[in-house]
Amino acid sequence: MMMEELELLEAKYQGTVARSREALELDFSIRYGDRMSHMLNEALKVYSLDLDSKVKVRRTIVDEMEYRVEGLIKARLSSLNLSLNPILITWYYIGNGERIDRLRVLLSLAGYEVSINDYVKGGFLMRIDKSTVVIPEYLAGYLSKEDPPQQLDSSSIVYGNIDNPIYMVTLETIARNLKPIEGFIRAFYGQGIRDTLTSGLLNQVARLHGDEVLVNPLMDLRSLRLGLARAKNTRARVIKHSLSMYGKYIFDKEIYCGVNYMFTYSSRSLVVYLCPWTPHYKSIISKHYGVRSLIVLGVRFRESMIDFLNSEKGERPDLSKVMFITFDQAMGEIHAIYQGGSVSLMDDVLDLLYESNYRITEVTY
């Protein structure tokens, strides 16, 4: 089939999927140059059909083009000096029918600063309206012959940043699609999730686009969640060992923290949540509602923690049964944070902490 015939089929195909004449005019002016008027007229003949007729025409074109399109596409790849990788990333990991502004950012996260119009000119992308592009269906076979682009190594991302609490908190928030209390994050980690994303700290993984968090399409979130759970479990066990805590230990995948069930020397039960980092605390303290709890966080102490807990205690009276400790292993410091009126409830917990090899500072609110 001659190139001119393939391009005519290509134009008609876009006529079957376009939702506006403006989309056709925008793309055809880029793709066909001085042949735009002719191609547009042919596409508009299909565009004006009823939906059922469009579907039939589209199927016929896809059947006719899918085994012959390689010549058209390869020639354009070469002449326009384009990489196929951004299209493969879109095909395999982003999905079809994406807004142009989002697609540009997603591909940028994957390492490709692309001109959407270049790929429109090449016929790899087609506008269906002013702001949305699709990959033509007849490219499915051609693209599927290529191996999927390699995804990011979740383990290296997790373990390469494991000593940066705000990084890990933000990473877990993204991986688990959480909506943490911003006040808690700011108070305990020094800055909010939005601030962290805006700063560019996680640019390899995710970026803010307006109010939306866009994740690198090469990031496998399932693999990332597993990596986070493994890393947290390992760190939680280290904390348990460092604090010489006895009792039954499990890793709770619901709250993504290690949990240690024990009795203190006074034979009173205590649930210890070993959280090297955590984006939330409400679900933790409600896990065993009413039971004395110790939440161990691998962060340094901040005065803002006291301000936050003071503001919360009126709404959450059960906080009187919760002690927070910040565990700074590098500095050899533990800050035990609890309500002043619950000293008698927490005295045996403090005894446990004082038996460790760390410097203990009690902070009440």
PDB file of all heavy atoms in Angstrom, residues 77-112:
ATOM      1  N   LEU A  77       9.586   7.978  12.229  1.00  0.00           N
ATOM      2  CA  LEU A  77      10.531   7.938  13.358  1.00  0.00           C
ATOM      3  C   LEU A  77      11.889   8.440  12.924  1.00  0.00           C
ATOM      4  O   LEU A  77      12.544   9.225  13.618  1.00  0.00           O
ATOM      5  CB  LEU A  77      10.671   6.506  13.883  1.00  0.00           C
ATOM      6  CG  LEU A  77       9.709   6.004  14.952  1.00  0.00           C
ATOM      7  CD1 LEU A  77      10.018   4.549  15.283  1.00  0.00           C
ATOM      8  CD2 LEU A  77       9.781   6.851  16.218  1.00  0.00           C
ATOM      9  N   SER A  78      12.313   7.962  11.753  1.00  0.00           N
ATOM     10  CA  SER A  78      13.633   8.331  11.249  1.00  0.00           C
ATOM     11  C   SER A  78      13.684   9.784  10.817  1.00  0.00           C
ATOM     12  O   SER A  78      14.588  10.535  11.195  1.00  0.00           O
ATOM     13  CB  SER A  78      14.000   7.413  10.077  1.00  0.00           C
ATOM     14  OG  SER A  78      15.226   7.796   9.514  1.00  0.00           O
ATOM     15  N   SER A  79      12.694  10.218  10.042  1.00  0.00           N
ATOM     16  CA  SER A  79      12.734  11.580   9.507  1.00  0.00           C
ATOM     17  C   SER A  79      12.567  12.645  10.590  1.00  0.00           C
ATOM     18  O   SER A  79      13.132  13.734  10.495  1.00  0.00           O
ATOM     19  CB  SER A  79      11.660  11.762   8.429  1.00  0.00           C
ATOM     20  OG  SER A  79      10.369  11.628   8.993  1.00  0.00           O
ATOM     21  N   LEU A  80      11.790  12.339  11.640  1.00  0.00           N
ATOM     22  CA  LEU A  80      11.566  13.303  12.720  1.00  0.00           C
ATOM     23  C   LEU A  80      12.537  13.121  13.882  1.00  0.00           C
ATOM     24  O   LEU A  80      12.507  13.889  14.844  1.00  0.00           O
ATOM     25  CB  LEU A  80      10.130  13.167  13.245  1.00  0.00           C
ATOM     26  CG  LEU A  80       9.017  13.512  12.252  1.00  0.00           C
ATOM     27  CD1 LEU A  80       7.658  13.121  12.807  1.00  0.00           C
ATOM     28  CD2 LEU A  80       9.054  15.000  11.916  1.00  0.00           C
ATOM     29  N   ASN A  81      13.398  12.097  13.779  1.00  0.00           N
ATOM     30  CA  ASN A  81      14.400  11.816  14.815  1.00  0.00           C
ATOM     31  C   ASN A  81      13.741  11.650  16.192  1.00  0.00           C
ATOM     32  O   ASN A  81      14.129  12.282  17.168  1.00  0.00           O
ATOM     33  CB  ASN A  81      15.460  12.925  14.861  1.00  0.00           C
ATOM     34  CG  ASN A  81      16.681  12.530  15.676  1.00  0.00           C
ATOM     35  OD1 ASN A  81      17.005  11.337  15.790  1.00  0.00           O
ATOM     36  ND2 ASN A  81      17.348  13.510  16.265  1.00  0.00           N
ATOM     37  N   LEU A  82      12.726  10.790  16.232  1.00  0.00           N
ATOM     38  CA  LEU A  82      11.968  10.576  17.465  1.00  0.00           C
ATOM     39  C   LEU A  82      12.366   9.258  18.127  1.00  0.00           C
ATOM     40  O   LEU A  82      12.727   8.291  17.448  1.00  0.00           O
ATOM     41  CB  LEU A  82      10.465  10.527  17.174  1.00  0.00           C
ATOM     42  CG  LEU A  82       9.820  11.799  16.637  1.00  0.00           C
ATOM     43  CD1 LEU A  82       8.347  11.535  16.328  1.00  0.00           C
ATOM     44  CD2 LEU A  82       9.957  12.943  17.626  1.00  0.00           C
ATOM     45  N   SER A  83      12.286   9.234  19.440  1.00  0.00           N
ATOM     46  CA  SER A  83      12.449   7.996  20.202  1.00  0.00           C
ATOM     47  C   SER A  83      11.084   7.362  20.383  1.00  0.00           C
ATOM     48  O   SER A  83      10.096   8.055  20.667  1.00  0.00           O
ATOM     49  CB  SER A  83      13.077   8.286  21.570  1.00  0.00           C
ATOM     50  OG  SER A  83      12.969   7.150  22.421  1.00  0.00           O
ATOM     51  N   LEU A  84      11.014   6.061  20.251  1.00  0.00           N
ATOM     52  CA  LEU A  84       9.745   5.356  20.450  1.00  0.00           C
ATOM     53  C   LEU A  84       9.436   5.167  21.939  1.00  0.00           C
ATOM     54  O   LEU A  84       8.290   4.910  22.312  1.00  0.00           O
ATOM     55  CB  LEU A  84       9.802   3.987  19.755  1.00  0.00           C
ATOM     56  CG  LEU A  84       8.501   3.188  19.642  1.00  0.00           C
ATOM     57  CD1 LEU A  84       7.448   3.981  18.881  1.00  0.00           C
ATOM     58  CD2 LEU A  84       8.757   1.847  18.961  1.00  0.00           C
ATOM     59  N   ASN A  85      10.439   5.347  22.793  1.00  0.00           N
ATOM     60  CA  ASN A  85      10.259   5.056  24.229  1.00  0.00           C
ATOM     61  C   ASN A  85       9.096   5.800  24.882  1.00  0.00           C
ATOM     62  O   ASN A  85       8.337   5.198  25.655  1.00  0.00           O
ATOM     63  CB  ASN A  85      11.558   5.323  24.990  1.00  0.00           C
ATOM     64  CG  ASN A  85      12.565   4.205  24.788  1.00  0.00           C
ATOM     65  OD1 ASN A  85      12.219   3.115  24.340  1.00  0.00           O
ATOM     66  ND2 ASN A  85      13.818   4.476  25.103  1.00  0.00           N
ATOM     67  N   PRO A  86       8.928   7.106  24.647  1.00  0.00           N
ATOM     68  CA  PRO A  86       7.779   7.786  25.284  1.00  0.00           C
ATOM     69  C   PRO A  86       6.432   7.174  24.901  1.00  0.00           C
ATOM     70  O   PRO A  86       5.518   7.117  25.731  1.00  0.00           O
ATOM     71  CB  PRO A  86       7.902   9.233  24.784  1.00  0.00           C
ATOM     72  CG  PRO A  86       9.350   9.397  24.475  1.00  0.00           C
ATOM     73  CD  PRO A  86       9.786   8.066  23.938  1.00  0.00           C
ATOM     74  N   ILE A  87       6.314   6.707  23.661  1.00  0.00           N
ATOM     75  CA  ILE A  87       5.065   6.076  23.234  1.00  0.00           C
ATOM     76  C   ILE A  87       4.916   4.705  23.886  1.00  0.00           C
ATOM     77  O   ILE A  87       3.817   4.326  24.318  1.00  0.00           O
ATOM     78  CB  ILE A  87       5.013   5.960  21.700  1.00  0.00           C
ATOM     79  CG1 ILE A  87       5.061   7.361  21.057  1.00  0.00           C
ATOM     80  CG2 ILE A  87       3.757   5.226  21.245  1.00  0.00           C
ATOM     81  CD1 ILE A  87       3.927   8.283  21.475  1.00  0.00           C
ATOM     82  N   LEU A  88       6.010   3.971  24.009  1.00  0.00           N
ATOM     83  CA  LEU A  88       5.957   2.664  24.669  1.00  0.00           C
ATOM     84  C   LEU A  88       5.595   2.817  26.151  1.00  0.00           C
ATOM     85  O   LEU A  88       4.816   2.031  26.692  1.00  0.00           O
ATOM     86  CB  LEU A  88       7.309   1.958  24.529  1.00  0.00           C
ATOM     87  CG  LEU A  88       7.657   1.471  23.126  1.00  0.00           C
ATOM     88  CD1 LEU A  88       9.100   0.980  23.077  1.00  0.00           C
ATOM     89  CD2 LEU A  88       6.701   0.368  22.672  1.00  0.00           C
ATOM     90  N   ILE A  89       6.142   3.839  26.796  1.00  0.00           N
ATOM     91  CA  ILE A  89       5.804   4.100  28.201  1.00  0.00           C
ATOM     92  C   ILE A  89       4.315   4.424  28.312  1.00  0.00           C
ATOM     93  O   ILE A  89       3.619   3.931  29.204  1.00  0.00           O
ATOM     94  CB  ILE A  89       6.664   5.261  28.753  1.00  0.00           C
ATOM     95  CG1 ILE A  89       8.115   4.813  28.901  1.00  0.00           C
ATOM     96  CG2 ILE A  89       6.114   5.753  30.106  1.00  0.00           C
ATOM     97  CD1 ILE A  89       9.087   5.937  29.164  1.00  0.00           C
ATOM     98  N   THR A  90       3.823   5.245  27.392  1.00  0.00           N
ATOM     99  CA  THR A  90       2.398   5.591  27.396  1.00  0.00           C
ATOM    100  C   THR A  90       1.544   4.352  27.154  1.00  0.00           C
ATOM    101  O   THR A  90       0.547   4.121  27.853  1.00  0.00           O
ATOM    102  CB  THR A  90       2.108   6.648  26.308  1.00  0.00           C
ATOM    103  OG1 THR A  90       2.962   7.782  26.523  1.00  0.00           O
ATOM    104  CG2 THR A  90       0.662   7.102  26.363  1.00  0.00           C
ATOM    105  N   TRP A  91       1.954   3.552  26.191  1.00  0.00           N
ATOM    106  CA  TRP A  91       1.189   2.366  25.811  1.00  0.00           C
ATOM    107  C   TRP A  91       1.125   1.346  26.951  1.00  0.00           C
ATOM    108  O   TRP A  91       0.064   0.821  27.271  1.00  0.00           O
ATOM    109  CB  TRP A  91       1.823   1.737  24.570  1.00  0.00           C
ATOM    110  CG  TRP A  91       1.163   0.479  24.111  1.00  0.00           C
ATOM    111  CD1 TRP A  91       1.605  -0.804  24.289  1.00  0.00           C
ATOM    112  CD2 TRP A  91      -0.073   0.373  23.415  1.00  0.00           C
ATOM    113  NE1 TRP A  91       0.739  -1.698  23.738  1.00  0.00           N
ATOM    114  CE2 TRP A  91      -0.315  -1.010  23.187  1.00  0.00           C
ATOM    115  CE3 TRP A  91      -1.008   1.294  22.949  1.00  0.00           C
ATOM    116  CZ2 TRP A  91      -1.443  -1.476  22.522  1.00  0.00           C
ATOM    117  CZ3 TRP A  91      -2.135   0.829  22.290  1.00  0.00           C
ATOM    118  CH2 TRP A  91      -2.338  -0.533  22.087  1.00  0.00           C
ATOM    119  N   TYR A  92       2.265   1.079  27.561  1.00  0.00           N
ATOM    120  CA  TYR A  92       2.342   0.018  28.572  1.00  0.00           C
ATOM    121  C   TYR A  92       1.940   0.469  29.974  1.00  0.00           C
ATOM    122  O   TYR A  92       1.376  -0.312  30.736  1.00  0.00           O
ATOM    123  CB  TYR A  92       3.764  -0.557  28.625  1.00  0.00           C
ATOM    124  CG  TYR A  92       4.056  -1.559  27.530  1.00  0.00           C
ATOM    125  CD1 TYR A  92       4.865  -1.219  26.448  1.00  0.00           C
ATOM    126  CD2 TYR A  92       3.518  -2.839  27.578  1.00  0.00           C
ATOM    127  CE1 TYR A  92       5.139  -2.142  25.439  1.00  0.00           C
ATOM    128  CE2 TYR A  92       3.783  -3.771  26.580  1.00  0.00           C
ATOM    129  CZ  TYR A  92       4.596  -3.414  25.512  1.00  0.00           C
ATOM    130  OH  TYR A  92       4.854  -4.333  24.518  1.00  0.00           O
ATOM    131  N   TYR A  93       2.251   1.724  30.332  1.00  0.00           N
ATOM    132  CA  TYR A  93       2.129   2.107  31.734  1.00  0.00           C
ATOM    133  C   TYR A  93       1.173   3.267  32.029  1.00  0.00           C
ATOM    134  O   TYR A  93       0.727   3.412  33.159  1.00  0.00           O
ATOM    135  CB  TYR A  93       3.511   2.468  32.299  1.00  0.00           C
ATOM    136  CG  TYR A  93       4.510   1.342  32.195  1.00  0.00           C
ATOM    137  CD1 TYR A  93       5.742   1.538  31.576  1.00  0.00           C
ATOM    138  CD2 TYR A  93       4.227   0.083  32.702  1.00  0.00           C
ATOM    139  CE1 TYR A  93       6.672   0.509  31.477  1.00  0.00           C
ATOM    140  CE2 TYR A  93       5.137  -0.960  32.606  1.00  0.00           C
ATOM    141  CZ  TYR A  93       6.365  -0.731  31.991  1.00  0.00           C
ATOM    142  OH  TYR A  93       7.265  -1.763  31.894  1.00  0.00           O
ATOM    143  N   ILE A  94       0.894   4.098  31.052  1.00  0.00           N
ATOM    144  CA  ILE A  94       0.025   5.255  31.317  1.00  0.00           C
ATOM    145  C   ILE A  94      -1.403   4.972  30.876  1.00  0.00           C
ATOM    146  O   ILE A  94      -2.359   5.253  31.601  1.00  0.00           O
ATOM    147  CB  ILE A  94       0.562   6.524  30.624  1.00  0.00           C
ATOM    148  CG1 ILE A  94       1.950   6.883  31.194  1.00  0.00           C
ATOM    149  CG2 ILE A  94      -0.408   7.695  30.812  1.00  0.00           C
ATOM    150  CD1 ILE A  94       2.621   8.055  30.506  1.00  0.00           C
ATOM    151  N   GLY A  95      -1.548   4.424  29.706  1.00  0.00           N
ATOM    152  CA  GLY A  95      -2.888   4.122  29.197  1.00  0.00           C
ATOM    153  C   GLY A  95      -3.322   5.131  28.152  1.00  0.00           C
ATOM    154  O   GLY A  95      -2.750   6.214  28.020  1.00  0.00           O
ATOM    155  N   ASN A  96      -4.334   4.751  27.415  1.00  0.00           N
ATOM    156  CA  ASN A  96      -4.772   5.576  26.292  1.00  0.00           C
ATOM    157  C   ASN A  96      -5.813   6.602  26.721  1.00  0.00           C
ATOM    158  O   ASN A  96      -6.592   6.363  27.638  1.00  0.00           O
ATOM    159  CB  ASN A  96      -5.353   4.677  25.195  1.00  0.00           C
ATOM    160  CG  ASN A  96      -4.842   5.074  23.824  1.00  0.00           C
ATOM    161  OD1 ASN A  96      -4.132   6.062  23.685  1.00  0.00           O
ATOM    162  ND2 ASN A  96      -5.201   4.301  22.812  1.00  0.00           N
ATOM    163  N   GLY A  97      -5.785   7.738  26.056  1.00  0.00           N
ATOM    164  CA  GLY A  97      -6.749   8.790  26.352  1.00  0.00           C
ATOM    165  C   GLY A  97      -6.308   9.655  27.502  1.00  0.00           C
ATOM    166  O   GLY A  97      -6.993   9.762  28.523  1.00  0.00           O
ATOM    167  N   GLU A  98      -5.153  10.293  27.382  1.00  0.00           N
ATOM    168  CA  GLU A  98      -4.582  11.093  28.463  1.00  0.00           C
ATOM    169  C   GLU A  98      -4.580  12.575  28.088  1.00  0.00           C
ATOM    170  O   GLU A  98      -4.375  12.933  26.925  1.00  0.00           O
ATOM    171  CB  GLU A  98      -3.139  10.629  28.739  1.00  0.00           C
ATOM    172  CG  GLU A  98      -2.490  11.249  29.954  1.00  0.00           C
ATOM    173  CD  GLU A  98      -3.282  11.027  31.223  1.00  0.00           C
ATOM    174  OE1 GLU A  98      -3.156   9.952  31.833  1.00  0.00           O
ATOM    175  OE2 GLU A  98      -4.050  11.949  31.580  1.00  0.00           O
ATOM    176  N   ARG A  99      -4.823  13.415  29.093  1.00  0.00           N
ATOM    177  CA  ARG A  99      -4.734  14.858  28.857  1.00  0.00           C
ATOM    178  C   ARG A  99      -3.295  15.230  28.511  1.00  0.00           C
ATOM    179  O   ARG A  99      -2.344  14.702  29.094  1.00  0.00           O
ATOM    180  CB  ARG A  99      -5.177  15.640  30.090  1.00  0.00           C
ATOM    181  CG  ARG A  99      -6.652  15.586  30.380  1.00  0.00           C
ATOM    182  CD  ARG A  99      -7.090  16.782  31.233  1.00  0.00           C
ATOM    183  NE  ARG A  99      -6.102  17.175  32.217  1.00  0.00           N
ATOM    184  CZ  ARG A  99      -6.090  16.757  33.494  1.00  0.00           C
ATOM    185  NH1 ARG A  99      -7.007  15.900  33.910  1.00  0.00           N
ATOM    186  NH2 ARG A  99      -5.173  17.189  34.327  1.00  0.00           N
ATOM    187  N   ILE A 100      -3.154  16.151  27.588  1.00  0.00           N
ATOM    188  CA  ILE A 100      -1.831  16.514  27.095  1.00  0.00           C
ATOM    189  C   ILE A 100      -0.942  17.043  28.199  1.00  0.00           C
ATOM    190  O   ILE A 100       0.241  16.682  28.303  1.00  0.00           O
ATOM    191  CB  ILE A 100      -1.959  17.554  25.951  1.00  0.00           C
ATOM    192  CG1 ILE A 100      -2.585  16.892  24.723  1.00  0.00           C
ATOM    193  CG2 ILE A 100      -0.598  18.154  25.597  1.00  0.00           C
ATOM    194  CD1 ILE A 100      -2.952  17.853  23.615  1.00  0.00           C
ATOM    195  N   ASP A 101      -1.487  17.892  29.076  1.00  0.00           N
ATOM    196  CA  ASP A 101      -0.660  18.471  30.133  1.00  0.00           C
ATOM    197  C   ASP A 101      -0.177  17.387  31.104  1.00  0.00           C
ATOM    198  O   ASP A 101       0.986  17.378  31.512  1.00  0.00           O
ATOM    199  CB  ASP A 101      -1.422  19.573  30.880  1.00  0.00           C
ATOM    200  CG  ASP A 101      -2.719  19.087  31.505  1.00  0.00           C
ATOM    201  OD1 ASP A 101      -3.329  18.148  30.951  1.00  0.00           O
ATOM    202  OD2 ASP A 101      -3.132  19.635  32.546  1.00  0.00           O
ATOM    203  N   ARG A 102      -1.052  16.437  31.441  1.00  0.00           N
ATOM    204  CA  ARG A 102      -0.660  15.352  32.341  1.00  0.00           C
ATOM    205  C   ARG A 102       0.348  14.427  31.667  1.00  0.00           C
ATOM    206  O   ARG A 102       1.317  13.985  32.291  1.00  0.00           O
ATOM    207  CB  ARG A 102      -1.878  14.525  32.768  1.00  0.00           C
ATOM    208  CG  ARG A 102      -2.810  15.226  33.723  1.00  0.00           C
ATOM    209  CD  ARG A 102      -3.974  14.322  34.105  1.00  0.00           C
ATOM    210  NE  ARG A 102      -3.682  13.495  35.276  1.00  0.00           N
ATOM    211  CZ  ARG A 102      -3.354  12.221  35.240  1.00  0.00           C
ATOM    212  NH1 ARG A 102      -3.251  11.584  34.084  1.00  0.00           N
ATOM    213  NH2 ARG A 102      -3.118  11.553  36.343  1.00  0.00           N
ATOM    214  N   LEU A 103       0.121  14.116  30.414  1.00  0.00           N
ATOM    215  CA  LEU A 103       1.020  13.215  29.690  1.00  0.00           C
ATOM    216  C   LEU A 103       2.426  13.794  29.622  1.00  0.00           C
ATOM    217  O   LEU A 103       3.413  13.072  29.820  1.00  0.00           O
ATOM    218  CB  LEU A 103       0.485  12.968  28.275  1.00  0.00           C
ATOM    219  CG  LEU A 103       1.330  12.045  27.391  1.00  0.00           C
ATOM    220  CD1 LEU A 103       1.462  10.663  28.016  1.00  0.00           C
ATOM    221  CD2 LEU A 103       0.722  11.941  25.996  1.00  0.00           C
ATOM    222  N   ARG A 104       2.506  15.099  29.382  1.00  0.00           N
ATOM    223  CA  ARG A 104       3.817  15.742  29.303  1.00  0.00           C
ATOM    224  C   ARG A 104       4.571  15.614  30.621  1.00  0.00           C
ATOM    225  O   ARG A 104       5.766  15.312  30.651  1.00  0.00           O
ATOM    226  CB  ARG A 104       3.648  17.211  28.908  1.00  0.00           C
ATOM    227  CG  ARG A 104       4.957  17.895  28.519  1.00  0.00           C
ATOM    228  CD  ARG A 104       4.717  19.328  28.094  1.00  0.00           C
ATOM    229  NE  ARG A 104       4.104  19.423  26.780  1.00  0.00           N
ATOM    230  CZ  ARG A 104       2.895  19.870  26.527  1.00  0.00           C
ATOM    231  NH1 ARG A 104       2.122  20.279  27.517  1.00  0.00           N
ATOM    232  NH2 ARG A 104       2.429  19.936  25.301  1.00  0.00           N
ATOM    233  N   VAL A 105       3.867  15.820  31.738  1.00  0.00           N
ATOM    234  CA  VAL A 105       4.506  15.717  33.057  1.00  0.00           C
ATOM    235  C   VAL A 105       4.878  14.275  33.369  1.00  0.00           C
ATOM    236  O   VAL A 105       5.966  13.991  33.877  1.00  0.00           O
ATOM    237  CB  VAL A 105       3.588  16.283  34.162  1.00  0.00           C
ATOM    238  CG1 VAL A 105       4.210  16.075  35.539  1.00  0.00           C
ATOM    239  CG2 VAL A 105       3.331  17.767  33.931  1.00  0.00           C
ATOM    240  N   LEU A 106       3.984  13.342  33.071  1.00  0.00           N
ATOM    241  CA  LEU A 106       4.260  11.926  33.327  1.00  0.00           C
ATOM    242  C   LEU A 106       5.489  11.445  32.557  1.00  0.00           C
ATOM    243  O   LEU A 106       6.341  10.729  33.100  1.00  0.00           O
ATOM    244  CB  LEU A 106       3.042  11.079  32.956  1.00  0.00           C
ATOM    245  CG  LEU A 106       1.848  11.176  33.911  1.00  0.00           C
ATOM    246  CD1 LEU A 106       0.592  10.590  33.267  1.00  0.00           C
ATOM    247  CD2 LEU A 106       2.143  10.479  35.228  1.00  0.00           C
ATOM    248  N   LEU A 107       5.601  11.858  31.305  1.00  0.00           N
ATOM    249  CA  LEU A 107       6.767  11.462  30.510  1.00  0.00           C
ATOM    250  C   LEU A 107       8.031  12.149  31.008  1.00  0.00           C
ATOM    251  O   LEU A 107       9.119  11.570  30.976  1.00  0.00           O
ATOM    252  CB  LEU A 107       6.523  11.772  29.033  1.00  0.00           C
ATOM    253  CG  LEU A 107       5.458  10.896  28.361  1.00  0.00           C
ATOM    254  CD1 LEU A 107       5.188  11.364  26.939  1.00  0.00           C
ATOM    255  CD2 LEU A 107       5.881   9.429  28.358  1.00  0.00           C
ATOM    256  N   SER A 108       7.881  13.373  31.504  1.00  0.00           N
ATOM    257  CA  SER A 108       9.021  14.071  32.103  1.00  0.00           C
ATOM    258  C   SER A 108       9.527  13.331  33.337  1.00  0.00           C
ATOM    259  O   SER A 108      10.728  13.182  33.555  1.00  0.00           O
ATOM    260  CB  SER A 108       8.621  15.506  32.475  1.00  0.00           C
ATOM    261  OG  SER A 108       9.667  16.157  33.166  1.00  0.00           O
ATOM    262  N   LEU A 109       8.599  12.836  34.164  1.00  0.00           N
ATOM    263  CA  LEU A 109       8.972  12.036  35.327  1.00  0.00           C
ATOM    264  C   LEU A 109       9.740  10.783  34.912  1.00  0.00           C
ATOM    265  O   LEU A 109      10.647  10.330  35.617  1.00  0.00           O
ATOM    266  CB  LEU A 109       7.721  11.624  36.109  1.00  0.00           C
ATOM    267  CG  LEU A 109       7.125  12.662  37.056  1.00  0.00           C
ATOM    268  CD1 LEU A 109       5.700  12.273  37.445  1.00  0.00           C
ATOM    269  CD2 LEU A 109       7.980  12.812  38.294  1.00  0.00           C
ATOM    270  N   ALA A 110       9.360  10.232  33.758  1.00  0.00           N
ATOM    271  CA  ALA A 110      10.034   9.030  33.261  1.00  0.00           C
ATOM    272  C   ALA A 110      11.349   9.349  32.553  1.00  0.00           C
ATOM    273  O   ALA A 110      12.041   8.438  32.098  1.00  0.00           O
ATOM    274  CB  ALA A 110       9.111   8.276  32.305  1.00  0.00           C
ATOM    275  N   GLY A 111      11.670  10.648  32.466  1.00  0.00           N
ATOM    276  CA  GLY A 111      12.956  11.050  31.896  1.00  0.00           C
ATOM    277  C   GLY A 111      12.901  11.544  30.469  1.00  0.00           C
ATOM    278  O   GLY A 111      13.941  11.675  29.815  1.00  0.00           O
ATOM    279  N   TYR A 112      11.706  11.856  29.968  1.00  0.00           N
ATOM    280  CA  TYR A 112      11.576  12.298  28.580  1.00  0.00           C
ATOM    281  C   TYR A 112      10.856  13.639  28.502  1.00  0.00           C
ATOM    282  O   TYR A 112       9.666  13.731  28.809  1.00  0.00           O
ATOM    283  CB  TYR A 112      10.804  11.254  27.756  1.00  0.00           C
ATOM    284  CG  TYR A 112      11.555   9.959  27.610  1.00  0.00           C
ATOM    285  CD1 TYR A 112      11.358   8.924  28.519  1.00  0.00           C
ATOM    286  CD2 TYR A 112      12.489   9.782  26.591  1.00  0.00           C
ATOM    287  CE1 TYR A 112      12.061   7.735  28.412  1.00  0.00           C
ATOM    288  CE2 TYR A 112      13.204   8.601  26.471  1.00  0.00           C
ATOM    289  CZ  TYR A 112      12.993   7.579  27.386  1.00  0.00           C
ATOM    290  OH  TYR A 112      13.691   6.410  27.282  1.00  0.00           O
TER     291      TYR A 112
END
